[in-house]
């Protein structure tokens, strides 16, 4: 599938929140999405036949960029949507002369880790007990891509 990648409108936020709730272990709240929009974070959607099938949220400061959130609608997993979003992001970052991109991911999130490794992100550290789980806490892997 080759979705269109677009910047979001405020009216898209409910769709992002619906995707987030359906795929994330500790979902952002609707208020977090709205705050992110008003903070001026980069918010992009992947659209197929006018339907939002995935999203990407980033923050760039000077020559560094952080991936704050990325998700694909559960009906569209493993169809290359997140890959399209990250390919878009690499071009976006190059155009802005970004040197490196960072993210944090749950150690147990094998799908996301495999996605980031496919895009040549490398593990640069661990934040111990960074995320909550149903039964306790879980480490975060810190990953980086350098141009
Ligand atoms: C992680 C996520 C965004 C991947 O989205 P997607 O659109 O299905 O990903 P793609 O189809 O582009 O897959 C790209 C690569 O990711 C990896 N991948 C994706 N899903 C995977 C899975 N279930 N298991 C293992 N690897 C997986 C593979 O390396 C895949 O490459 P391949 O197709 O050549 O094998 C999606 O599973 C999701 O929304 N997860 C919940 C939200 C989340 O965890 N976000 C990350 C927060 S840090």
């Amino acid at each position: 599938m080759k979705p269109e990648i677009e910047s979001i409108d405020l009216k898209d936020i409910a769709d992002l929140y619906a995707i987030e709730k359906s795929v994330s272990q500790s979902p952002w709240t609707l208020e977090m999405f709205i705050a992110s929009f008003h903070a001026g974070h980069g918010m992009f959607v992947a659209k197929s036949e006018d339907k939002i099938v995935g999203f990407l949220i980033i923050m760039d400061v000077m020559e560094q960029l952080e991936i704050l959130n990325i998700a694909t609608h559960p009906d569209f997993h493993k169809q290359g949507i997140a890959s399209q979003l990250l390919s878009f992001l690499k071009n976006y970052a190059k155009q802005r002369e970004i040197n490196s991109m960072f993210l944090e991911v749950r150690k147990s999130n094998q799908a996301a880790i495999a996605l980031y490794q496919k895009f040549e992100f490398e593990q640069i550290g661990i934040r111990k007990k960074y995320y909550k789980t149903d039964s306790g806490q879980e480490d975060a892997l810190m990953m980086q891509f350098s141009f």
Side-chain angles (χ1 to χ4, degrees), residues 70-72 77-83 104 109 111 114-116 118:
I70 182 170
T72 296
H77 278 180
K78 294 286 285 171
Q79 294 180 42
I81 305 292
S83 298
E104 279 140 11
N109 192 345
L115 167 72
Y116 298 135
K118 187 175 173 186

Side-chain angles (χ1 to χ4, degrees), residues 10 21 38 60 87 95 100 129:
L10 193 51
K21 272 196 302 184
H38 289 303
D60 53 298
S87 296
Q95 281 168 16
S100 43
K129 300 180 178 173

Side-chain angles (χ1 to χ4, degrees), residues 22-106:
S22 64
V23 296
S24 176
Q25 207 176 324
S26 49
W28 282 24
T29 61
L30 184 59
E31 290 71 27
M32 287 164 77
F33 280 99
I34 293 168
S36 187
F37 182 88
H38 289 303
H41 295 158
M43 299 177 91
F44 304 98
V45 287
K47 274 190 179 172
S48 174
E49 295 173 0
D50 236 25
K51 177 183 167 66
I52 294 179
V53 293
F55 68 83
L56 169 70
I57 303 178
I58 59 164
M59 176 172 70
D60 53 298
V61 180
M62 311 289 280
E63 72 280 1
Q64 296 195 338
L65 183 154
E66 188 174 352
I67 297 178
L68 302 177
N69 203 344
I70 182 170
T72 296
H73 188 293
D75 293 347
F76 295 86
H77 278 180
K78 294 286 285 171
Q79 294 180 42
I81 305 292
S83 298
Q84 289 290 331
L85 285 163
L86 288 187
S87 296
F88 163 85
L89 182 63
K90 278 197 177 173
N91 284 332
Y92 170 99
K94 268 187 207 155
Q95 281 168 16
R96 283 161 182 75
E97 300 184 347
I98 299 286
N99 291 335
S100 43
M101 305 196 286
F102 297 90
L103 60 90
E104 279 140 11
V105 57
R106 285 176 187 267

